[in-house]
Amino acid sequence: MELVQQNPDVSAYLGASEAVDHEHPVVRAVAGDLSDRHPDAYAYAAATYTHVRDTVPHSMDAGDLRVTWRASDVLEQRTGICYAKSIAYAALLRARGIPAALCYQRLTDDGGANPVIHGLVAVLLPGERDWARQDVRGNKPGVCARFSLGEERLAWTVRPEFNEVDYPVLYTEPHPAVLGALRAAPDRPALWRTLPTEL
């Protein structure tokens, strides 16, 4: 699948916003600590991936009812669903000057029912020509995602026979449907009822 930049200007994937608030002191502190220990851009991207994947539990897995959507809140409260964790990872990459995009999959149950949008991050490291998608959702039995610039190591591979989709667009900001659902939800059960099913 060929990934398509929403904005042709790569520098647009370094910007800060209300959700991807990489200038926030909490984000800066985490980025600074990881950068001190992993000064190389590749090592930093890999370490930051592991940090978000493993130290910020997916709120459904952890039974956490809180909903986060700002990168700083995700990192400070250490909770979030895939969208929120992706926003946090993108913010940490951008804090180090590494272009990061938000991108999505449409996944379903085994029978093709109950579609839901799943959030990913694409990273463009120095010297690389191609964006590489990463999945910081968090591993669990049956899910084993890893940082990779070559073959993708995502939590799930789409199954076209079940009407699943890899959306090719690389967004500079969270998709409006995703961000709207996160911001409107008072808790995770409410969010679960309003998750977007297509983009």
Side-chain angles (χ1 to χ4, degrees):
M1 179 189 66
E2 184 176 347
L3 299 173
V4 179
Q5 291 179 202
Q6 178 191 33
N7 189 320
D9 183 359
V10 172
S11 68
Y13 296 90
L14 294 171
S17 67
E18 190 176 9
V20 189
D21 58 345
H22 66 72
E23 295 172 347
H24 191 282
V26 169
V27 180
R28 286 289 179 188
V30 174
D33 177 60
L34 289 165
S35 186
D36 287 346
R37 291 185 283 131
H38 307 279
D40 172 75
Y42 177 92
Y44 174 82
T48 304
Y49 169 89
T50 302
H51 178 82
V52 175
R53 184 193 67 187
D54 295 350
T55 71
V56 179
H58 190 287
S59 57
M60 185 180 73
D61 295 349
D64 195 321
L65 300 182
R66 295 173 294 170
V67 175
T68 52
W69 57 271
R70 285 187 187 91
S72 55
D73 291 338
V74 175
L75 296 172
E76 187 171 47
Q77 297 179 33
R78 291 188 181 259
T79 189
I81 67 166
C82 63
Y83 308 144
K85 293 181 67 165
S86 294
I87 291 167
Y89 183 44
L92 288 170
L93 290 168
R94 293 181 187 188
R96 174 70 192 276
I98 298 170
L102 295 153
C103 49
Y104 302 93
Q105 295 175 312
R106 181 180 190 264
L107 304 173
T108 68
D109 290 345
D110 285 344
N114 301 312
V116 68
I117 300 302
H118 177 57
L120 306 170
V121 175
V123 58
L124 184 62
L125 284 172
E128 296 289 333
R129 293 177 44 226
D130 298 322
W131 292 85
R133 294 190 306 167
Q134 313 296 330
D135 191 335
V136 291
R137 181 226 178 269
N139 291 338
K140 62 179 185 175
V143 174
C144 185
R146 298 196 318 260
F147 181 84
S148 175
L149 294 186
E151 181 183 354
E152 288 188 332
R153 303 290 187 179
L154 307 178
W156 293 282
T157 302
V158 300
R159 304 165 299 174
E161 67 272 22
F162 292 126
N163 203 24
E164 296 183 340
V165 178
D166 273 321
Y167 291 105
V169 178
L170 301 176
Y171 293 92
T172 57
E173 296 298 321
H175 190 282
V178 166
L179 189 56
L182 288 172
R183 293 184 67 165
D187 55 33
R188 188 175 45 79
L191 175 61
W192 242 236
R193 295 189 294 270
T194 58
L195 290 174
T197 59
E198 59 182 303
L199 299 181

